[in-house]
Amino acid sequence: MRLETKLIQAGVGKDEKTGAVSFPVYYATAYRHPALGQSTGFDYTRTANPTRSVLEETIAEAEGGDAGFACASGMAAVHTVMGLFSQGDHLIVSLDLYGGTYRLFEQVLSRYGLAFTYVDLRDQEAVKKALREETKAIFVETPTNPLMQITNIRKITSLAKQHGLLTIVDNTFMTPYCQRPLELGADVILHSATKYLGGHNDVLAGLIVTKGEELSEKIRFLHNSIGAVLGPQDSWLLVRGMKTLALRMDRHQSNALTVAKKLKEHPAVSEVFYPGLEEHPGHEIQASQASGYSGMVSFRVRSQEQVGLFLQNLRVVSFAESLGGVESLCTYPATQTHADIPEEVRAHVGVCDRLLRLSVGIEHPDDLIADLFQALDASLVVGGAVR
């Protein structure tokens, strides 16, 4: 079956007793044993829950992995995977990185003896120079958040295998509908499932997918031991959201390309970052390793003074954190998603005070463009005079 069909069929036929098409929510935390030494496969809900199991099986199959694990948030998923590493271990990480991941690495895990080096993963020589004897993994965001830089996954996984390293890919922006890194050589996939997989800005969740029996068992142990697991109601909501993933992603991408092209025309905008644009430096690589470009567009206005005026004049697009829902959202990384990254680091990466990140929803594109343009027009009026 095609991925679209697999996602829609998630849970269908799994409740054999009633035949429920929508798999039920199992709230039970404990399960009766048939007899001493026997189990139904469910003992305690932290270890396994029937509703969560359907979700985990669905994401593993969608990504082409061997096992899936549902966590309480995207950051809980990242933290669980980091349990693979020990004091003194070193990881090479995407230079342009989500601020929450940077915060976890630098303010939490570094205190436990893990070390991180941030490298532009588009530069293979820079990656090689960052290798140490203690290096254990390469952590990849592609496209990166928020500058939409594209890493060649095949090259990174090939380099990692040459040095006996794991490759961990955050696939939040792309989803398995657009990009399947395990098929390109990656070992672990991470998702903030709150975003495109959930799709409706109403569920907080994280997902992990692993390739290989040994690695899957290690993550299974960590998932159960740490206990950062997803509850049954949220698991059900996530399965429901994933059923329409293909339809939503098609519209997200179509709208994003239309919006990106139009933003380039507005005099208030100086730069637009979207991998679907042919002039984007990572366009060809993205086309070679993925089947789409997602719905995330970043852009720079011409002056920092424009930012506040632009955001306060939005009407259809909401000024809010997060991304990937059906509603369009605009984020100001400097004070929101990347606020915990030191200013000098942000400036070096390119996350400047003029940068805005747009999660393009599935509204009618004409309405989105009209709203963005009227807000951009308003931003050109600074200090009572048209700039």
Side-chain angles (χ1 to χ4, degrees):
M1 290 189 292
R2 305 271 183 176
L3 180 59
E4 297 93 321
T5 306
K6 291 178 181 177
L7 290 172
I8 289 170
Q9 291 294 312
V12 177
K14 301 249 181 197
D15 185 23
E16 297 179 358
K17 186 174 182 179
T18 68
V21 173
S22 176
F23 192 82
V25 183
Y26 281 82
Y27 288 107
T29 56
Y31 303 84
R32 294 179 66 182
H33 299 291
L36 185 63
Q38 295 182 21
S39 172
T40 63
F42 299 96
D43 305 316
Y44 183 58
T45 201
R46 171 167 43 79
T47 305
N49 172 279
T51 312
R52 195 174 81 230
S53 293
V54 166
L55 168 62
E56 292 170 337
E57 291 164 8
T58 299
I59 191 60
E61 188 173 11
E63 285 282 13
D66 293 316
F69 307 91
C71 299
S73 69
M75 293 314 305
V78 175
H79 201 169
T80 298
V81 170
M82 289 300 108
L84 291 168
F85 307 107
S86 303
Q87 184 177 13
D89 287 348
H90 170 252
L91 287 84
I92 296 171
V93 184
S94 292
L95 178 63
D96 181 29
L97 185 72
Y98 167 55
T101 306
Y102 181 91
R103 179 179 58 219
L104 175 67
F105 289 176
E106 292 302 315
Q107 297 184 29
V108 180
L109 296 179
S110 63
R111 294 190 286 109
Y112 292 89
L114 296 186
F116 305 90
T117 300
Y118 302 90
V119 178
D120 185 342
L121 298 183
R122 298 172 297 177
D123 184 345
Q124 285 276 297
E125 291 307 310
V127 177
K128 290 177 183 177
K129 287 180 181 178
L131 289 168
R132 305 179 191 171
E133 187 178 340
E134 317 88 68
T135 305
K136 294 296 188 291
I138 303 177
F139 187 102
V140 183
E141 271 191 15
T142 184
T144 59
N145 180 5
L147 292 174
M148 311 301 158
Q149 296 170 353
I150 305 301
T151 296
N152 188 318
I153 298 174
R154 289 186 182 91
K155 285 187 176 181
I156 287 293
T157 58
S158 175
L159 178 64
K161 289 185 188 327
Q162 290 173 28
H163 294 273
L165 311 178
L166 291 176
T167 305
I168 303 162
V169 179
D170 185 330
N171 204 29
T172 297
F173 274 17
M174 297 305 296
T175 81
Y177 182 66
C178 298
Q179 180 172 273
R180 293 157 66 87
L182 294 180
E183 296 177 357
L184 303 174
D187 302 290
V188 181
I189 301 297
L190 290 165
H191 288 278
S192 174
T194 309
K195 313 306 193 294
Y196 283 113
L197 294 177
H200 293 81
N201 291 317
D202 61 3
V203 60
L204 180 70
L207 294 173
I208 305 166
V209 183
T210 50
K211 193 75 172 178
E213 183 178 350
E214 182 180 356
L215 184 58
S216 298
E217 286 307 310
K218 287 180 178 179
I219 294 292
R220 193 181 313 280
F221 171 81
L222 290 166
H223 190 231
N224 181 49
S225 299
I226 294 171
V229 300
L230 192 63
Q233 180 66 44
D234 287 340
S235 295
W236 183 87
L237 280 171
L238 192 48
V239 170
R240 185 179 68 168
M242 288 167 62
K243 286 175 180 281
T244 60
L245 178 66
L247 289 171
R248 290 186 285 103
M249 291 306 293
D250 284 342
R251 183 57 176 261
H252 282 300
Q253 295 180 109
S254 173
N255 279 1
L257 182 59
T258 301
V259 166
K261 287 179 177 178
K262 293 299 290 184
L263 282 173
K264 287 170 31 180
E265 301 173 5
H266 199 282
V269 175
S270 63
E271 290 178 274
V272 177
F273 306 90
Y274 182 62
L277 295 172
E278 291 185 4
E279 64 269 26
H280 187 283
H283 177 77
E284 291 186 8
I285 294 173
Q286 185 67 9
S288 73
Q289 67 186 18
S291 59
Y293 304 96
S294 193
M296 300 302 299
V297 178
S298 290
F299 62 98
R300 287 193 177 106
V301 290
R302 297 193 179 276
S303 72
Q304 183 183 352
E305 291 80 9
Q306 292 172 242
V307 171
L309 285 168
F310 169 74
L311 293 172
Q312 73 186 43
N313 279 281
L314 290 171
R315 298 292 177 265
V316 176
V317 179
S318 293
F319 173 33
E321 296 201 35
S322 200
L323 60 97
V326 291
E327 302 90 355
S328 291
L329 305 179
C330 189
T331 298
Y332 185 42
T335 62
Q336 292 181 299
T337 57
H338 290 63
D340 286 314
I341 297 179
E343 186 176 355
E344 64 275 13
V345 177
R346 284 195 288 105
H348 172 67
V349 172
V351 184
C352 69
D353 293 333
R354 296 183 292 116
L355 185 72
L356 292 153
R357 191 192 72 187
L358 186 64
S359 174
V360 182
I362 65 172
E363 302 93 343
H364 195 286
D366 291 350
D367 294 327
L368 293 176
I369 292 165
D371 187 43
L372 291 167
F373 270 47
Q374 64 83 23
L376 286 167
D377 289 343
S379 79
L380 287 171
V381 181
V382 179
V386 177
R387 292 175 65 91

